[in-house]
Amino acid sequence: MTSTRPLRVPGIAYGGDYNPEQWPEEVWAEDMRLMREAGVTMVNVGIFSWALLEPSEGVHDFTRMDRILDLLHANGIAADLATPTAAPPAWFFRAHPEALPVDKDGRTLWYGSRQTFCPSSPAYRRAALRIADALAQRYADHPAVAMWHVHNEYGCHNAACYCDTSAAAFRSWLRARYAEDLDALNNAWGTTFWSQWYYDWDEILPPRATGAPPNPTQQLDWRRFCSDELLALCTAERDVLRQAAPRIPATTNFMVLRTFDALDYWRWAPELDIVSNDHYLMSDDPESDIDIALSGDLMRSLAGGPWFLMEHSTGAVNWQPVNRAKVPGEMRRNALAHVARGADGISFFQWRAAKAGAEQWHSAMLPHAGTDSRIWQDVVHLGADLKALAEVRGSTAAAQVAILWNWDARWALELPSQPSGELRFQDLVRDWYTPLWRAGVAVDFVRPDADLDRYRLVLAPSLYLVDDAGAANLAGFAERGGTLAVGFHSGAVDQNCHVRPGGYPGAFRDILGVRADELFPLLPSQTLQLAGQVPAGATATLWSERIQLTGAEPVASFADGPLVGAPAVTRHTPASGTAWYLATRPDPATLAALMDRICQEAGVQPVIDSSPDGLEAVRRSGTDADYLFLIDHAGTGAQVPATGVELLTGKPVNESVTVPAGGVAVVREPH
Ligand code: GAL
């Protein structure tokens, strides 16, 4: 949020999605009173209001929105005003049935839900820009409007449409990517394989359902196209809004989730004034605190500083097989953990729990039970906490460790027809992130072309696809004295998904001082023993490969299985740096021991010395002070050396601060 269009809401903004149109107006006055009681400072309005704002094509009715914005303003609450384009009305689809999306089997997906449009539909685009423009014209100068919320979660339900219109748009995108050179596309896609050579651009289709796997590069370019196609819609709306209201910042809410990978947010983030995220816990994730931290660090990295948490939940969601409620204290820890990782705004889906509609069983700030509820008490308490943390706004975290994160590499890794179908990018990254989180080591996420020299340690847990420049950037970092660690099956293919010949791990062989001649992925039931400089009883799963050392030293080797005696973990010291290779997936304790050694050798310091188990420690640095966030996940409480003022209680801290059991402390440490 180091934007030229800053958010003009003081402190840490607090609120949620507000859908008053779903309620009679008598309820609105109560909403205002309770929002003030909870310390709400900004709400997200109009997100799904298209059908009410434009009852028929080109006919607008702003009377309700006028009253809502006036009411908010009168109550001192700002509006993050959405373009309602994630939910086109029924009349639109009756007029433009061709704008409905089509899945890869050729089935039309119908309206009656949300995001039921084809991203390449010209009719949709016209209609979306028309309503965005009408809103912008009407409300550009409304004193309540503090931010534009463009659309909602682009690609959540319609990341890819396979209709003929999308096919034509894909071909246009390809013509630009390959500079009108069809042979270049044929070579990039390797279309001599299976007689796929194209003689005419019009022969090319999206990767629709086929009997055998489609061409991998076609699939990869398709993912790139789908992300760009939605981004084009987003920037088109943003431009319309900016034209009418040049000073109001624009955001759209991202989704960094294990289950959502449709958009290349490195390409999206620079297009926005404020980067925001929606984060939800997965009920089957026993360590969702790590997921919060990972997504928060990724958001801060995408934003290059503070960001905005647009949605999370006060309790259970309604879209998982079983929706776990949060335990007492969990919602507060979650919200403050996002702030610790750089969020300058905390918002929920949604303000008031719905009576009707597909989300009637989703938690909210004001639950069905009303104010006589634990959730409401927690919501009021959190409002006070965020008020006490106002001065944290704008501060950011500095890290000595960078982790490579790349959507191209993720998409390519998870294509079908890999040596193993068990490889999941976010899981592999989280494997390595977890011991760093436990050790309280601050982490940034970076792209392969990032400036790496400001880090001591660069980790590439999973970088299956990397272009030559990216590979050279990582190698150069190690040669200049940095420490690099690379995970298995990295560097395997170039940007066109072509295997790098000569042995694995392709692009990183030289810098790692190893060469594998054959891959031995492990069955889900297979566990191998490791021997060497690893804890007793060390094991490995998922992957192995037959490595020869071409300069590296062995750190651990396989003690059984088909590769008994072959290196499993290696360490190379090219020029003045160090380059580690993990040719398998060590068990968590072994990986933690390896990470500990790698960090120590690289001179990486944790945020605080010897953080007790289960205590998350994060530091945000501001102009005049640092802010040390301490979050107790163990339920035991902790005593941590610190000096300054604990902001949540306002109490001075002399030598140490007490973190209450299951609670949070935030210490202002003056510079
Ligand atoms: C988000 C979405 C919200 C709401 C929420 C429920 O994906 O943006 O509108 O549906 O999920 O968890």
Side-chain angles (χ1 to χ4, degrees):
M1 288 206 248
T2 45
S3 160
T4 49
R5 295 181 191 81
L7 179 63
R8 282 172 291 156
V9 174
I12 308 289
Y14 183 43
D17 285 12
Y18 181 39
N19 302 306
E21 65 277 11
Q22 296 173 11
W23 297 88
E25 285 203 33
E26 305 85 81
V27 175
W28 300 4
E30 186 191 48
D31 287 336
M32 295 304 115
R33 179 174 61 78
L34 293 176
M35 282 182 193
R36 286 204 314 268
E37 185 180 326
V40 164
T41 58
M42 180 166 80
V43 289
N44 319 316
V45 288
I47 298 178
F48 299 109
S49 297
W50 196 345
L52 299 183
L53 291 170
E54 190 175 357
S56 61
E57 184 157 355
V59 176
H60 298 120
D61 176 0
F62 290 117
T63 48
R64 193 186 282 100
M65 185 58 84
D66 287 351
R67 288 201 296 277
I68 293 166
L69 292 177
D70 291 350
L71 192 62
L72 287 170
H73 184 59
N75 283 276
I77 298 164
D80 165 39
L81 178 56
T83 60
T85 54
W91 58 253
F92 169 77
F93 291 110
R94 284 188 70 205
H96 298 286
E98 81 288 355
L100 289 166
V102 172
D103 73 6
K104 57 160 69 158
D105 296 314
R107 284 184 314 164
T108 298
L109 304 176
W110 292 93
Y111 61 90
S113 178
R114 63 178 174 184
Q115 280 187 348
T116 56
F117 64 87
C118 160
S120 302
S121 158
Y124 169 76
R125 188 188 172 101
R126 273 194 308 275
L129 297 188
R130 188 179 59 229
I131 185 68
D133 186 49
L135 272 173
Q137 299 299 337
R138 188 161 187 98
Y139 297 119
D141 297 320
H142 194 289
V145 177
M147 181 154 72
W148 298 118
H149 182 295
V150 181
H151 198 83
N152 189 68
E153 291 187 343
Y154 274 101
C156 181
H157 309 286
N158 63 344
C161 168
Y162 295 80
C163 73
D164 289 343
T165 305
S166 301
F170 184 39
R171 289 191 283 269
S172 301
W173 183 92
L174 291 168
R175 292 176 90 122
R177 179 173 176 86
Y178 294 100
E180 298 289 333
D181 182 348
L182 192 52
D183 283 356
L185 176 143
N186 277 304
N187 290 323
W189 287 18
T191 54
T192 48
F193 180 82
W194 280 357
S195 186
Q196 290 170 356
W197 191 271
Y198 296 107
Y199 290 95
D200 189 319
W201 290 99
D202 286 342
E203 293 167 359
I204 299 172
L205 291 175
R208 292 177 176 158
T210 55
N215 180 302
T217 321
Q218 176 194 14
Q219 295 184 73
L220 182 61
D221 273 348
W222 174 250
R223 305 295 307 259
R224 291 168 172 150
F225 158 76
C226 290
S227 174
D228 281 2
E229 197 71 346
L230 286 167
L231 178 56
L233 284 176
C234 176
T235 54
E237 283 197 24
R238 178 209 61 193
D239 290 348
V240 162
L241 298 166
R242 258 188 202 165
Q243 194 157 8
R247 285 200 309 280
I248 299 181
T251 190
T252 190
N253 39 350
F254 292 174
M255 282 183 287
V256 170
L257 285 181
R258 185 181 179 280
T259 47
F260 182 82
D261 68 348
L263 306 181
D264 180 350
Y265 289 134
W266 287 123
R267 289 169 70 79
W268 283 65
E271 301 292 346
L272 301 165
D273 298 307
I274 291 173
V275 166
S276 59
N277 193 35
D278 295 350
H279 188 274
Y280 289 97
L281 308 188
M282 299 305 291
S283 298
D284 60 359
D285 182 353
E287 295 191 301
S288 44
D289 300 311
I290 301 176
D291 202 58
I292 291 177
L294 187 155
S295 75
D297 284 343
L298 180 55
M299 277 304 129
R300 197 190 57 249
S301 305
L302 285 163
W307 52 281
F308 197 101
L309 182 74
M310 186 60 75
E311 289 181 28
H312 68 322
S313 70
T314 56
V317 299
N318 70 319
W319 42 264
Q320 297 178 25
V322 175
N323 299 288
R324 178 175 81 74
K326 294 191 180 182
V327 298
E330 188 175 5
M331 186 265 268
R332 178 172 185 254
R333 287 193 299 277
N334 289 173
L336 297 182
H338 288 292
V339 178
R341 303 274 160 184
D344 271 2
I346 291 292
S347 183
F348 289 98
F349 179 84
Q350 62 176 331
W351 163 250
R352 185 184 274 274
K355 281 203 298 194
E359 298 188 314
Q360 60 190 163
W361 291 111
H362 197 291
S363 61
M365 298 170 82
L366 183 60
H368 291 143
T371 52
D372 184 10
S373 59
R374 195 200 76 214
I375 284 185
W376 176 253
Q377 287 160 22
D378 290 350
V379 161
V380 173
H381 190 176
L382 181 61
D385 285 339
L386 294 176
K387 198 168 176 192
L389 295 181
E391 67 180 80
V392 166
R393 176 183 174 140
S395 57
T396 191
Q400 298 173 334
V401 179
I403 298 185
L404 271 292
W405 184 288
N406 184 283
W407 272 274
D408 265 3
R410 177 178 188 167
W411 293 332
L413 180 77
E414 297 182 19
L415 287 173
S417 314
Q418 279 278 1
S420 168
E422 298 287 311
L423 308 183
R424 296 285 171 275
F425 174 85
Q426 188 156 331
D427 292 352
L428 296 173
V429 171
R430 184 163 144 175
D431 277 356
W432 289 33
Y433 182 86
T434 295
L436 299 171
W437 182 86
R438 289 197 207 292
V441 170
V443 165
D444 282 344
F445 287 94
V446 293
R447 306 165 10 154
D449 62 354
D451 170 14
L452 300 176
D453 287 331
R454 57 201 170 112
Y455 299 105
R456 292 188 176 186
L457 173 61
V458 170
L459 304 173
S462 179
L463 200 60
Y464 170 67
L465 175 153
V466 66
D467 62 12
D468 291 348
N473 190 34
L474 268 65
F477 166 75
E479 278 158 0
R480 289 188 298 277
T483 300
L484 172 72
V486 175
F488 61 81
H489 209 30
S490 291
V493 299
D494 65 15
Q495 67 277 13
N496 292 325
C497 234
H498 291 206
V499 172
R500 293 175 178 278
Y504 318 112
F508 298 118
R509 280 195 311 266
D510 291 344
I511 194 69
L512 298 174
V514 299
R515 177 179 178 275
D517 71 327
E518 195 171 356
L519 306 175
F520 289 74
L522 303 178
L523 296 172
S525 57
Q526 237 177 327
T527 299
L528 301 182
Q529 306 296 314
L530 295 177
Q533 301 159 40
V534 282
T539 59
T541 52
L542 202 59
W543 190 266
S544 64
E545 54 192 63
R546 185 167 50 223
I547 289 181
Q548 292 160 3
L549 302 175
T550 57
E553 57 181 278
V555 172
S557 55
F558 295 106
D560 59 1
L563 299 177
V564 62
V569 179
T570 62
R571 180 178 176 277
H572 189 215
T573 47
S576 50
T578 309
W580 293 76
Y581 186 49
L582 274 64
T584 188
R585 182 196 215 180
D587 66 75
T590 304
L591 187 57
L594 285 167
M595 276 302 149
D596 186 43
R597 176 170 165 195
I598 293 170
C599 284
Q600 280 199 25
E601 286 188 12
V604 170
Q605 307 289 329
V607 170
I608 54 169
D609 292 337
S610 62
S611 135
D613 274 357
L615 185 82
E616 180 174 356
V618 193
R619 188 174 273 114
R620 285 181 69 159
S621 299
T623 327
D624 303 321
D626 286 350
Y627 300 96
L628 176 63
F629 284 72
L630 300 162
I631 307 172
D632 176 49
H633 300 291
T636 53
Q639 202 66 31
V640 176
T643 310
V645 175
E646 200 288 306
L647 294 178
L648 297 171
T649 56
K651 290 192 180 145
V653 175
N654 292 319
E655 279 172 8
S656 74
V657 63
T658 303
V659 188
V664 182
V666 183
V667 183
R668 180 208 294 138
E669 308 172 309
H671 284 166

